[in-house]
Amino acid sequence: MSVRNNTKTLLMAFGAVFALAGCGNGADEVASPGVPANPPVAAPPPTSPPPTTPPPTSPPPTAGPAASCPDGTVNQGTIVNNTLRACRLPQTILGDLTLRKIDGVAYQIQGQVNVGQDQLGDAAVNDASKRGRLFIEPGVTLFGRNGPDVLLVQRGSQINALGTRDAPIVFTSLADLEGNGKKFDWAGIVLMGRAPINACIGNATPGTAACQGAVEGTSNAFGGGNAPNDNSGEMSYVQVRYSGYVIGEGNELQSLTMVGVGDGTKISHFQSHASGDDGIEIFGGTVNMSHVVITEADDDSLDTDWGWSGGIQFGLIVRKTESVKGVADSGSIFEWSAVDRQPTSTPKISNFTVYTTDRTLDSLVKVNQGTNASIWNSIFVTAPAGPNLKQSDVCFDISGANTRIELLSNYFTCDKRDRNTTTTPYVDAANKAGTVFGPSTLTAAYIPGANETAVAPVAVRAKHAFFQDVNYIGAARDANDTWWTGWTVGLN
């Protein structure tokens, strides 16, 4: 989601989604079996053919559907040629709901599914009657059928989705289960937390309980508050595939959207695959992440705004296919923006490997609007720009009077360091000790070669306590350290 539409865009997007989504409580009655149709959604026509993506690594079971649905869900009949039973989640989850791994069951997200009810931005408020906790067992599959289908965790509630390397939790689309997954199939996951944001309603003071980002058209979807250590739950070994709901130009949801999420939240081994918009978008808050994979996002891979002050260590980003929205809106690998006020946006990454052959890409790193960004111990490789295409060979597109960037111990392979060098030489003025620009020796398996391993890493734990100090740059030390294998899709 581009910064040019930051606050307004998020509000419009959520408002439209929630207006379209169904409402209700508990296990709603079902008139007849079979997955009911959602309101029709008109996606924008692609300007280029959608990319071909690999089928899921774990096909649906062939032994037939389960005989019934577990308690707390609604039987929607069978899907995927009568191999799976669709068990719909309630529209609002209050108390505890555990989604068990049951052969022949896939859990359906239809419309807006709320985990809990909003408990406002004050961490001292803890109303058990409004709290929801969703627990998801390893190997569970959840799916959306259409654009408005979104799982939203409200302030004061939690999701605990703990997969394993051998049994990841998969959020995907019905079309994917049928073998035809594509970008824009459904909306994705949204976490709303109580950590500070810097884009407040009215004249509220950032960092207080009153400072929250509103969602137009509903009274129950706000993010932000006074709790930097807020906890929205835990996710590990989770895939989100084929998400991205388009409301209008510049108004989309992506695989994972986080609004005011605190650093008590734990997210690791998370993959966004083939999102129709950004891979991950973070609006304010303090959340940290580790071991993140983003493959074939259609816009930005990681987009941040509203004063995010967290960090992500160990990341692999791969983009080889052109945007289905076309060259005019193909995005950057990182777009780090802000409302230029306190708390300042301070995005931090360490030990990333970025590999792209998409020649329509806007740039590798776009930083603006007073963001103070840091990139440490990372590897970036991009293809040269093609004729009449965007400048994918640009490492940095940096603008804004108060914008800053620090580049320590990195290796960049790109033809042009800074799009704005002649007028605003941010990169030339940046602290970039140990950073090297040169030809890539990265292997086809995203393992650093001789040029990359020659770069001495910088210690990062003293800079951001969530990070670990390691003796290499990039996502992995060597071919024995490919932590992304076994639980991801779309990398081969």
Side-chain angles (χ1 to χ4, degrees), residues 1-2 5-11 14 191 193 195-199 223-224 252-254 256-261 278 280-287 303-308 345:
M1 186 181 295
S2 172
N5 293 304
N6 50 33
T7 303
K8 182 177 180 182
T9 295
L10 179 70
L11 306 188
F14 276 114
L191 305 183
I197 62 174
N198 70 6
E252 303 97 358
L253 293 179
Q254 43 278 317
L256 177 62
T257 304
M258 295 185 284
V259 185
V261 174
D278 304 326
I280 298 172
E281 185 156 17
I282 306 175
F283 289 87
T286 57
V287 64
D303 194 347
T304 70
D305 207 336
W306 288 14
W308 178 54
S345 282

Side-chain angles (χ1 to χ4, degrees), residues 52-85:
T52 300
T53 52
T57 56
S58 301
T62 57
S68 61
C69 286
D71 290 346
T73 65
V74 181
N75 188 349
Q76 300 291 84
T78 61
I79 56 174
V80 194
N81 295 321
N82 200 38
T83 61
L84 291 171
R85 185 163 302 280

Side-chain angles (χ1 to χ4, degrees), residues 120-123 155 192-198 206-209 211-213 223-232 259-265 283-287 306-309 343:
L120 306 179
D122 188 350
R155 289 184 292 185
M192 308 295 273
R194 291 166 152 172
I197 62 174
N198 70 6
T208 67
C211 179
Q212 57 185 11
N226 63 4
N229 304 125
D230 193 45
N231 182 356
S232 295
V259 185
V261 174
D263 62 16
T265 308
F283 289 87
T286 57
V287 64
W306 288 14
W308 178 54
S309 60

Side-chain angles (χ1 to χ4, degrees), residues 288 309-311 346-350 373-377 406-409 431-433 457-469:
N288 298 297
S309 60
T346 57
K348 296 168 283 290
I349 67 162
S350 184
S374 299
I375 299 175
W376 306 318
N377 298 336
E406 180 178 66
L407 307 166
L408 301 179
S409 298
N431 180 2
K432 53 182 186 295
V458 64
V460 293
R461 185 171 176 80
K463 297 175 176 294
H464 189 55
F466 177 78
F467 287 171
Q468 305 173 29
D469 288 330

Side-chain angles (χ1 to χ4, degrees), residues 341-421:
R341 64 173 72 117
Q342 298 295 321
T344 300
S345 282
T346 57
K348 296 168 283 290
I349 67 162
S350 184
N351 295 97
F352 266 65
T353 295
V354 174
Y355 179 83
T356 175
T357 56
D358 177 8
R359 299 194 303 167
T360 70
L361 196 68
D362 186 36
S363 60
L364 288 177
V365 181
K366 185 174 184 177
V367 187
N368 56 29
Q369 293 190 353
T371 298
N372 292 343
S374 299
I375 299 175
W376 306 318
N377 298 336
S378 294
I379 298 168
F380 291 73
V381 179
T382 187
N388 303 317
L389 298 178
K390 300 182 85 171
Q391 298 185 42
S392 62
D393 57 347
V394 170
C395 271
F396 304 101
D397 181 1
I398 307 176
S399 60
N402 297 317
T403 302
R404 301 288 183 272
I405 190 165
E406 180 178 66
L407 307 166
L408 301 179
S409 298
N410 305 292
Y411 197 95
F412 287 93
T413 299
C414 45
D415 290 346
K416 190 173 182 181
R417 297 187 186 185
D418 185 356
R419 176 172 293 168
N420 302 306
T421 296

Side-chain angles (χ1 to χ4, degrees), residues 165 235-238 267-271 290-292 483 487:
R165 180 183 295 273
M235 291 193 287
S236 63
Y237 292 103
V238 169
I267 303 176
S268 70
H269 297 87
F270 178 92
Q271 182 184 19
S290 72
H291 299 89
V292 170
W483 49 262
W487 63 275

